[in-house]
Amino acid sequence: MMGAMARTLWLVGMMGAGKSAVGSRLAARLGRAFVDTDALVESVAGKSIAAIFADEGEASFRSLERAAIERVAGRPAIVALGGGAIAQPGMAERLRASGKVVYLRASPETLLARIGDAERRPLLAGLAAAARLSRVRELLQTREPDYARATCVVDADDGDVDAVTDRILEALGEARGEEGRAMRTVQVPLGERSYAIRIGVDTLDQAGAAIAACTEARRAVVVTVPEVGRRYGARLERSLRAAGIKSRRLVVADGERSKSLRVLAKLYEDLLDFDADRGTVVIALGGGVVGDLAGFLAATFLRGVPFVQVPTTMLAMADASVGGKVAVDLARGKNLVGAFHQPRLVWMDLATLRSLPRRQRANGLVEVIKHGVIRDVALFERFERDIERVLDLEPGPTLDVLERSCQIKAEVVAQDEREEGLRMILNFGHTLAHAIETLLGYRKLLHGEAVGIGMVFAARRSEAMGLAPAGVADRIEALLERAGLPTEPPDLPRRAYLDALRVDKKRKDGHVRFIAVRELGKAEIVRLSPAEILPRGALGTGRR
Ligand SMILES: NC(=O)c1ccc[n+]([C@@H]2O[C@H](COP(=O)([O-])OP(=O)(O)OC[C@H]3O[C@@H](n4cnc5c(N)ncnc54)[C@H](O)[C@@H]3O)[C@@H](O)[C@H]2O)c1
Ligand SMILES: [Zn+2]
């Protein structure tokens, strides 16, 4: 992937264009070093840029800057240059000869708003606010001809570091070409209930047309939570309108508590108010909570209406939106009232994950890693190579792993839609996870985090029972740690865990169907009693 960019990538532009933030992100994505020449100059000179300007004048600063540039020229690093560097005589040629130059362009207003404490910027110090704007305008005007000699110009006005980074990679042809970002399709083959999962980047605008094509619906309700609706609702609704579908947004409160009969009752009323009929499509826009709730709504309203999933969390993309299980909770337990109701379409736009906090991204990835452990060693090894890039949502690797993950889940679901046999291997890691969730009352740990702990535990138990070769658990643990995920069971007495295992709802005749790993990529169901799952010492030494 790096062939075309074997040498230095120079970022030029005005102060406030975002060169440092974008440069660091770019460096992280490409696995390269990041250098800021201003910082280099300051460390060489032992004083701030402002002090160099004040004590020795601009000429002295420029010669230090030139020396710093010479130190890195030709090295495979991402280098952010000071705003005036490229305007120096001969500099544009020097930069282009040693690599590629990207100009981050932003308007004077944006630049000034981002500069903040202007007193630290020598070229603005001592000016009144109004004078600063004209000074920035003036500087931009003089420098623009030099900036324009960059290899490419990238718009940086929106200040979205990830989006700007994507644009740069695209402009440089480094984004694995069009093909790497092209939409992926995974078919879930369930006879007349078959449907497609479409996975892409920045595809929300096309969702409406796709929904129209697979439902014949003229009306839609979009079920979502406030934050997700605010960010992505309008784009989805605009695309529905463009496809001739009239829609209404139904917003429920954020969090698991919305997966309740009370909220459901309200949604039925909302559907009636909207004159919904059997052709009205229910669209879930959000995480697993919205998906389960809206899915159960769709399964039951008028004995079932068309349903579409637009998942916006990693967990919902990796797991909850595929497979047709929908449910609400009762006070006495999660998912106690539910149905199987397959969607007509699952529309995944990875761009929506950019606003998802990193902890939530890692949380959802656990189920993807799980798919690798139980079914596909190549997927697991892909994570061993690229997990950081996936956490950064780099399009190529993220599309690859989600596509593979969906294929695996689709395959397993297609063979066992109602969870009578094979589908149970998807519960790998979940036996202990459910016990942990019961004991912690679903607080503190997110579902995926608990599953990660359960996976390491299940792999260790598999090794101890002689089912799996040594080393499997260590590899799973190392991978989870790289994603910042916990791997140790919460410190509670063994007795408490045993009690929690005994109430596992998947238990039959005193036994729990424990999912063991045989080797990476292969899992198997074994019937064990709680005491066999959790013999003394299984939680680690020192645990009773
Ligand atoms: N049906 C199934 O097969 C299945 C499988 C696994 C989990 N689930 C269910 O899924 C639920 C958990 O799903 P979840 O982890 O997605 O939780 P969630 O839906 O509560 O989402 C997690 C948080 O992320 C926020 N969020 C969602 N999208 C965002 C975005 N793009 N940017 C920023 N914030 C965003 C949400 O508002 C929420 O605060 C549980 O109820 C679980 O039972 C169902
Ligand atoms: Zn799960």
Side-chain angles (χ1 to χ4, degrees):
M1 144 166 205
M2 291 299 301
M5 205 204 294
R7 289 181 301 158
T8 315
L9 178 63
W10 307 99
L11 297 181
V12 304
M14 295 281 285
M15 51 188 154
K19 288 168 292 182
S20 299
V22 170
S24 323
R25 186 67 48 91
L26 207 49
R29 288 233 202 142
L30 296 172
R32 298 242 170 153
F34 172 68
V35 179
D36 178 329
T37 55
D38 277 356
L40 201 55
V41 165
E42 288 185 333
S43 80
V44 168
K47 51 180 153 180
S48 71
I49 307 275
I52 302 171
F53 264 76
D55 302 351
E56 304 162 30
E58 178 167 352
S60 170
F61 168 75
R62 293 296 168 201
S63 82
L64 286 167
E65 181 178 57
R66 181 173 286 273
I69 288 170
E70 285 307 326
R71 271 176 67 183
V72 290
R75 277 177 30 194
I78 314 298
V79 183
L81 293 174
I86 196 176
Q88 305 311 306
M91 189 56 84
E93 293 72 20
R94 177 71 187 105
L95 298 177
R96 292 187 60 142
S98 55
K100 291 191 174 178
V101 187
V102 175
Y103 168 32
L104 294 189
R105 179 157 57 198
S107 69
E109 290 76 13
T110 307
L111 293 168
L112 193 63
R114 284 199 211 134
I115 287 169
D117 179 12
E119 292 310 315
R120 284 180 43 248
R121 311 279 185 166
L123 297 177
L124 293 184
L127 295 178
R132 280 179 194 157
L133 184 60
S134 37
R135 178 81 177 118
V136 170
R137 266 210 194 102
E138 208 177 279
L139 271 174
L140 186 57
Q141 222 160 42
T142 9
R143 286 175 180 174
E144 191 103 89
D146 294 304
Y147 291 152
R149 298 165 73 190
T151 321
C152 61
V153 181
V154 168
D155 183 22
D157 235 16
D158 61 3
D160 179 337
V161 174
D162 280 306
V164 177
T165 307
D166 281 346
R167 270 173 232 145
I168 294 175
L169 290 171
E170 217 153 302
L172 293 172
E174 292 288 330
R176 299 198 168 182
E178 276 303 295
E179 206 175 298
R181 290 174 59 99
M183 207 183 292
R184 317 287 175 89
T185 303
V186 176
Q187 285 293 337
V188 185
L190 291 169
E192 59 184 17
R193 278 172 286 102
S194 297
Y195 59 94
I197 305 166
R198 308 268 285 152
I199 318 168
V201 185
D202 259 320
T203 53
L204 211 48
D205 302 318
Q206 303 157 48
I211 293 168
C214 68
T215 60
E216 295 130 38
R218 316 294 303 167
R219 300 166 85 76
V221 291
V222 176
V223 182
T224 190
V225 292
E227 165 88 0
V228 177
R230 190 175 58 70
R231 283 180 187 275
Y232 307 111
R235 271 180 72 195
L236 176 60
E237 286 153 6
R238 216 178 303 127
S239 85
L240 288 167
R241 203 175 317 128
I245 300 176
K246 184 177 169 193
S247 72
R248 175 171 293 179
R249 193 186 305 183
L250 304 180
V251 182
V252 302
D254 192 33
E256 183 74 28
R257 288 184 55 188
S258 280
K259 262 176 66 174
S260 68
L261 292 171
R262 187 182 49 79
V263 172
L264 191 65
K266 169 79 169 55
L267 290 174
Y268 291 134
E269 299 293 334
D270 290 339
L271 280 174
L272 291 172
D273 289 344
F274 184 55
D275 290 328
D277 59 23
R278 300 186 80 155
T280 302
V281 56
V282 173
I283 303 172
L285 173 69
V289 163
V290 164
D292 279 12
L293 172 70
F296 190 71
L297 176 74
T300 49
F301 183 70
L302 304 179
R303 295 198 186 83
V305 297
F307 177 46
V308 168
Q309 293 262 24
V310 184
T312 64
T313 63
M314 190 67 95
L315 185 124
M317 291 188 190
D319 194 12
S321 67
V322 180
K325 285 209 271 177
V326 294
V328 295
D329 304 334
L330 296 180
R332 279 196 266 173
K334 269 174 61 99
N335 302 324
L336 292 181
V337 181
F340 286 95
H341 190 60
Q342 301 291 347
R344 296 285 181 92
L345 173 73
V346 183
W347 192 264
M348 304 183 181
D349 176 356
L350 299 194
T352 62
L353 294 177
R354 286 195 193 117
S355 56
L356 191 71
R358 214 175 160 85
R359 181 181 177 196
Q360 291 279 359
R361 293 185 200 171
N363 172 58
L365 276 188
V366 173
E367 305 275 4
V368 187
I369 296 169
K370 177 194 78 182
H371 290 149
V373 174
I374 61 175
R375 228 30 200 180
D376 183 6
V377 65
L379 175 60
F380 186 86
E381 286 169 348
R382 180 70 191 266
F383 272 114
E384 291 189 314
R385 283 199 305 281
D386 282 340
I387 191 157
E388 288 81 9
R389 296 167 72 194
V390 176
L391 282 165
D392 282 343
L393 303 176
E394 204 180 302
T398 312
L399 282 168
D400 287 351
V401 299
L402 270 175
E403 177 184 20
R404 186 65 195 119
S405 177
C406 289
Q407 281 167 354
I408 291 169
K409 182 144 190 203
E411 206 176 278
V412 172
V413 167
Q415 285 180 45
D416 178 19
E417 190 182 357
R418 301 250 155 188
E419 197 165 347
E420 284 144 3
L422 177 68
R423 190 165 177 172
M424 279 190 300
I425 69 168
L426 296 173
N427 285 327
F428 177 67
H430 282 61
T431 305
L432 189 75
H434 289 148
I436 292 172
E437 288 178 320
T438 306
L439 293 171
L440 297 182
Y442 297 94
R443 283 184 297 270
K444 271 173 78 176
L445 287 178
L446 299 172
H447 175 69
E449 294 171 336
V451 173
I453 295 169
M455 293 197 327
V456 175
F457 172 81
R460 286 216 192 290
R461 293 297 304 133
S462 305
E463 289 180 21
M465 290 184 288
L467 295 169
V472 169
D474 282 347
R475 277 174 75 183
I476 299 173
E477 180 169 28
L479 190 57
L480 297 177
E481 277 170 358
R482 276 167 65 191
L485 288 157
T487 56
E488 286 284 325
D491 192 3
L492 297 163
R494 171 170 175 263
R495 202 171 0 92
Y497 279 103
L498 282 176
D499 287 344
L501 287 176
R502 291 199 181 97
V503 301
D504 192 302
K505 68 170 187 262
K506 302 231 162 47
R507 193 168 60 102
K508 272 199 184 143
D509 51 49
H511 285 80
V512 178
R513 304 206 189 164
F514 185 75
I515 314 305
V517 53
R518 294 305 306 254
E519 60 186 284
L520 282 169
K522 238 176 116 191
E524 160 183 308
I525 307 168
V526 280
R527 286 159 43 90
L528 297 173
S529 70
E532 287 169 320
I533 293 174
L534 203 64
R536 266 169 220 294
L539 289 167
T541 44
R543 300 276 187 93
R544 284 160 299 137

